[in-house]
Amino acid sequence: MAACCSWNDVLQYETNKVIRIQSGTYGTIKWVLHLIIFSYVSFALVSDKLYQRKEPVISSVHTKVKGIAEVTENVMEGGVMKSVRRIFDPADYTFPMQQGNSFFVMTNFLKSENQEQKLCPEFPTRSALCHSDKSCKKGWMDPQSKGIRTGKCIQYDETRRTCEVSAWCPAEEGKVAPRPALLRSAENFTVLIKNNIDFPGHNYTTRNILPDLNTSCTFHKTRSPQCPIFRLGDIFQEAGENFSEVAVQGGIMGIEIYWDCNLDSWSHRCYPRYSFRRLDDKYTNESLIPGYNFRYAKYYKENKVEKRTLIKAFGIRFDILVFGTGGKFDIIQLVVYIGSTLSYFGLATVFIDLLINTYSGAFCRSRVYPYCKCCEPCAINEHYYRKKCESIMEPKPTLKYVSFVDEPCIRMVEQQLLGKSLQVVKGQEVPRPQMDFTELSRLSLSLHDSPPVSGQPEEIQLLCKEVPPRSGHSPGWCQCGKCLPSQLPENRRALEELCCRRKPGRCITTSELFWKLVLSRQALQLLLLYQEPLLVLEEEATNRRLRHRAYRCYATWRFGSQDMADFAILPSCCRWRIRKEFPKTEGQYTGFQYPY
Ligand code: GDP
Ligand code: ZN
Ligand code: ZN
């Protein structure tokens, strides 16, 4: 980038120059792609409300469980097992949870009644069984056991002996949860969920219980989807679970409240959507510690002795998960969205360019598809491709172009040190650029001149026609018989060892056009004056300028493009023919020089 040194450098604007292709096919492809992209962008804008600023919900939850259950318990009374019927109300089966947004409903339990602090045998698990006092280490505390060992081994029942422990006695029996669950009728309990939400950024507050709500309803997915009172059995049914099965071991159930709020005044909508999902291990058989349970105790005093009833409660913990977003129209969001979609409209250009590049003849001829016949679209695409694409070689000092009059293409030679003479280096073939005749038309005046020697215009022959050359003095690599040995030092000599022909034949310097385009003094003077109208043409300096101009004329004539002409090497015959016409009086000729 040029350094910024004046206001003119600042007050400028650069834009891209484009090529417009008048083509029905590509025009149609472009409009179809634009239409698809526009439809998609508009659809996404409206359906996902991408013009809104969205904000996550903040919420508070409060729950109330209701329902009565009748439970038949087996109780030991005076050594006899009796069935007792008990009524459970919410205070018996629900517990406040430490964690917010949750509530627990007990569905099953195991009771150990009349426990007091004393010494008693442990419940016979594998590690508690013993034969003698030796197996019971005093003071040992097994994490699985319920107390601290005294060091004695005593009778548990008629057949088994276990270690004695100091604990809440009698020790809790390791029974499994009763099946069916004792409070299986908890299925019919209902829970009222109060959920207040807030979108602070939008300054909007609402709740799930609206004033016009019928409070005697029960939630149903389709019939009353807005009712905040849920039957526990229905929650399980919605989640595809069996309540009485889960009730035995307990479990964790998620109640999801999703708020997708549209806070725009013209389409205001802000209601919760409820869904249910089991959150714990579904497959109780496979899990190591199935279900959900915990222990709690009720303490009391009997005859001044502290006693307790230990309850292992199995039940269902309901976790209420509130999430969602509130969106409101925001001009910045809309502008950002439009900005981000603009790049998609470039897709048509990328796609059509891909078609042009892929199906152009140049690509077909490449090694990727060697068998592809050049079809009609290929030819058209190649035309577009040539108009669109201008390739530039890196102007390396090693880069050189040579052209032989008996070959249609130009050869690009890239060689660090020309060990071999340029004549025999193979190089890479590059197509000859399309001719620019402006230079030629400027020269039209010179066409009235006639060549000074051997110039019979009627003798113009086609150069491809073989004419035996050889003047006898030409070097070995010369094919036209007009070349001369190079004057350059040894190490650069190979650079000038180049003939105008690949195979033996007539020299290009004998063509009339060579004389008219390259050697005509009148034309060259005209070109020099064209550039510098007030140029004074003196003898010695003029010769130098005319000679250099003649080199250029030859290069432009035979290589066409300016880029190539800069790196074009003149054949020895042409170089010496020009030098003969416009000679240097003293010193050596410099020869080709790297232009940059
Ligand atoms: P000078 O006039 O004594 O310097 O020697 P020359 O007659 O060899 O001219 C040298 C100038 O012509 C330099 O600018 C060279 O780059 C240019 N020149 C000489 N030979 C070639 C050539 O083969 N190709 C091109 N493109 N330029 C050449
Ligand atoms: Zn030659
Ligand atoms: Zn020649």
Side-chain angles (χ1 to χ4, degrees), residues 545-557:
R545 298 190 72 150
L546 288 174
R547 185 169 67 242
H548 291 183
R549 190 68 232 176
Y551 294 150
R552 262 233 91 71
C553 280
Y554 178 84
T556 318
W557 170 36

Side-chain angles (χ1 to χ4, degrees), residues 423 474-475 477-484 498-501 505 507 571-574:
Q423 179 72 21
S474 60
W477 43 264
C478 174
Q479 305 293 329
C480 68
K482 301 270 181 198
C483 296
L484 291 175
L498 175 70
C499 182
C500 65
R501 306 188 59 97
C507 180
S572 176
C573 47
C574 305

Side-chain angles (χ1 to χ4, degrees), residues 442-450 515-530 537 542 546 549 553 581-582:
R442 280 187 211 147
L443 288 174
S444 57
L445 278 176
S446 72
L447 298 177
H448 302 297
D449 288 357
S450 55
W515 191 85
K516 284 185 171 173
L517 292 178
V518 182
L519 289 186
S520 158
R521 181 176 289 267
Q522 202 186 344
L524 293 171
Q525 274 175 353
L526 193 83
L527 283 174
L528 286 179
L529 285 169
Y530 189 83
L537 297 165
T542 310
L546 288 174
R549 190 68 232 176
C553 280
E581 197 69 25
F582 311 105

Side-chain angles (χ1 to χ4, degrees), residues 433 439 552 556 559-567 596:
E439 200 85 350
R552 262 233 91 71
T556 318
F559 295 85
S561 91
Q562 191 61 44
D563 296 328
M564 282 197 203
D566 282 344
F567 295 93
Y596 300 109

Side-chain angles (χ1 to χ4, degrees), residues 296-308:
Y296 75 100
K298 292 185 221 168
Y299 298 89
Y300 57 96
K301 272 196 170 164
E302 202 178 77
N303 301 330
K304 294 194 179 158
V305 178
E306 195 192 11
K307 292 199 171 183
R308 73 170 192 187

Side-chain angles (χ1 to χ4, degrees), residues 273-433:
R273 214 174 323 134
Y274 302 97
S275 58
F276 313 96
R277 182 192 305 274
R278 184 154 177 202
L279 299 179
D280 70 326
D281 249 334
K282 243 182 198 182
Y283 308 102
T284 42
N285 315 343
E286 286 170 23
S287 97
L288 220 52
I289 307 145
Y292 182 75
N293 65 64
F294 58 87
R295 289 181 178 80
Y296 75 100
K298 292 185 221 168
Y299 298 89
Y300 57 96
K301 272 196 170 164
E302 202 178 77
N303 301 330
K304 294 194 179 158
V305 178
E306 195 192 11
K307 292 199 171 183
R308 73 170 192 187
T309 304
L310 178 71
I311 297 168
K312 184 178 182 184
F314 299 87
I316 294 148
R317 195 182 82 197
F318 291 89
D319 289 353
I320 298 160
L321 312 160
V322 185
F323 61 101
T325 50
K328 204 170 185 178
F329 176 79
D330 186 54
I331 186 76
I332 295 174
Q333 287 295 324
L334 182 65
V335 171
V336 168
Y337 176 72
I338 293 172
S340 69
T341 55
L342 284 182
S343 58
Y344 296 145
F345 288 94
L347 203 70
T349 314
V350 173
F351 182 69
I352 295 171
D353 275 6
L354 193 77
L355 285 183
I356 292 178
N357 297 352
T358 310
Y359 293 105
S360 70
F363 186 80
C364 285
R365 279 193 300 271
S366 78
R367 285 188 203 138
V368 186
Y369 293 123
Y371 309 110
C372 166
K373 296 228 164 54
C374 252
C375 37
E376 194 190 345
C378 284
I380 295 170
N381 282 335
E382 184 158 10
H383 172 70
Y384 295 151
Y385 187 78
R386 253 194 267 123
K387 286 279 171 200
K388 177 172 94 83
C389 172
E390 185 184 354
S391 53
I392 301 168
M393 288 300 294
E394 187 190 350
K396 284 185 268 187
T398 52
L399 179 73
K400 280 151 205 96
Y401 292 102
V402 298
S403 160
F404 296 105
V405 73
D406 49 355
E407 269 186 359
C409 56
I410 291 171
R411 284 176 185 271
M412 185 178 78
V413 179
E414 239 202 290
Q415 220 168 345
Q416 202 68 34
L417 281 168
L418 286 164
K420 297 192 255 178
S421 73
L422 252 185
Q423 179 72 21
V424 292
V425 179
K426 259 224 147 320
Q428 186 192 334
E429 289 187 13
V430 286
R432 192 179 287 274

Side-chain angles (χ1 to χ4, degrees), residues 174-187:
K175 281 191 200 160
V176 289
R179 188 179 280 269
L182 296 172
L183 274 94
R184 55 192 171 280
S185 56
E187 197 172 2

